[in-house]
Amino acid sequence: MSITSDIIRGHTEAIILSHLMERDSYGYQINKDILEKTDNRYELKEATLYTAFRRLEQAGYITAYWGNQKTGARRRYYSITPEGRAAYCGYKRDWEEAKELIDKLLR
Amino acid sequence: MSITSDIIRGHTEAIILSHLMERDSYGYQINKDILEKTDNRYELKEATLYTAFRRLEQAGYITAYWGNQKTGARRRYYSITPEGRAAYCGYKRDWEEAKELIDKLLR
DNA sequence: TAATATACCTTGACAGATGAGGTATTATGG
DNA sequence: CCATAATACCTCATCTGTCAAGGTATATTA
């Protein structure tokens, strides 16, 4: 785990939305996906994840429902809304621009 | 001005050090350089800039001295230290890694 | 049956960014 | 000559996202 939270800060919501673009998912799963995708180099902390869920729900970017699996602990699934998809595109554009700018500034 | 502070957050120190790698400079000048370099798309707020200077001084990454220009308002110049140069390299590596990770996560 | 993994959640504290306020000097347009 | 803008510095209180630390509950495994 090497990436500082200040660098990743502000990307939490985009990262979550990105996962939900592919399929509905739940907190624990999203966290594991991130770990795997980054070869254990980055992990969203649980508190960060769940507060982000609240923000995203509040903003109308995701909706939640309880999974109905028969076994294992209960899961709260999240689904991305059309507004969420639009927001994701915005986040992505912001990232592309920020990347360009920071590259320029850290020459 | 489109880049949110949360995306740029954590890069302030690196951006300042990057400028000081080229030559000694002072707050007002660094701010104008950033504006110019980014075609007015990003501006470090003054309060952010000066608090960052304090942090960098505290960390031993920069040293300060008053300019001796005969005319105009007084200027406080900053100089990067060897430790600062090393820190800059670290920040830069962090950025390259973060960039890669975020790109992966925002697929 | 104890430990581990799965899965959720809340609270308080922290740190960086910033709006709003301030000071002082010099240049400039009317 | 005077008002305004530009240069140049600084501080403080507030806001926001992150996170450590704590909690709950169920299922699996050794």
Side-chain angles (χ1 to χ4, degrees), chain A residues 8-25:
Chain A
I8 216 88
R9 190 192 177 103
H11 296 292
T12 307
E13 298 181 14
I15 290 169
I16 293 172
L17 290 181
S18 168
H19 273 82
L20 296 179
M21 290 281 281
E22 290 178 49
R23 70 186 69 84
D24 287 7
S25 191

Side-chain angles (χ1 to χ4, degrees), chain A:
Chain A
M1 210 64 52
S2 50
I3 296 306
T4 70
S5 46
D6 271 331
I7 288 189
I8 216 88
R9 190 192 177 103
H11 296 292
T12 307
E13 298 181 14
I15 290 169
I16 293 172
L17 290 181
S18 168
H19 273 82
L20 296 179
M21 290 281 281
E22 290 178 49
R23 70 186 69 84
D24 287 7
S25 191
Y26 56 100
Y28 204 81
Q29 182 64 49
I30 289 176
N31 245 6
K32 289 211 309 186
D33 280 355
I34 291 172
L35 259 176
E36 200 185 326
K37 268 193 189 173
T38 61
D39 299 312
N40 295 296
R41 284 184 292 165
Y42 182 63
E43 178 187 32
L44 256 182
K45 303 307 175 305
E46 283 201 7
T48 306
L49 181 72
Y50 289 112
T51 53
F53 278 147
R54 298 298 153 260
R55 278 200 303 278
L56 289 167
E57 257 190 299
Q58 197 95 48
Y61 294 163
I62 61 176
T63 53
Y65 59 95
W66 288 103
N68 63 349
Q69 71 288 349
K70 328 264 178 298
T71 180
R74 70 198 176 142
R75 296 174 183 167
R76 192 166 172 77
Y77 280 88
Y78 293 96
S79 200
I80 190 168
T81 65
E83 293 78 26
R85 288 177 192 274
Y88 172 72
C89 292
Y91 283 139
K92 184 130 194 202
R93 269 197 307 276
D94 288 348
W95 165 237
E96 295 300 336
E97 185 175 7
K99 194 162 60 169
E100 189 200 320
L101 290 189
I102 296 171
D103 268 336
K104 220 172 246 172
L105 291 171
L106 295 193
R107 192 91 64 191

Side-chain angles (χ1 to χ4, degrees), chain B residues 23-41:
Chain B
R23 71 187 68 84
D24 287 9
S25 191
Y26 57 98
Y28 204 81
Q29 182 64 49
I30 290 176
N31 245 5
K32 290 210 309 185
D33 281 354
I34 291 172
L35 259 176
E36 199 185 328
K37 269 194 190 173
T38 61
D39 299 311
N40 294 296
R41 283 184 293 163

Side-chain angles (χ1 to χ4, degrees), chain B residues 6 26-28 46-47 50 54 73-76:
Chain B
D6 272 330
Y26 57 98
Y28 204 81
E46 284 201 5
Y50 289 110
R54 297 300 154 260
R74 66 197 181 147
R75 296 174 181 166
R76 193 165 171 79

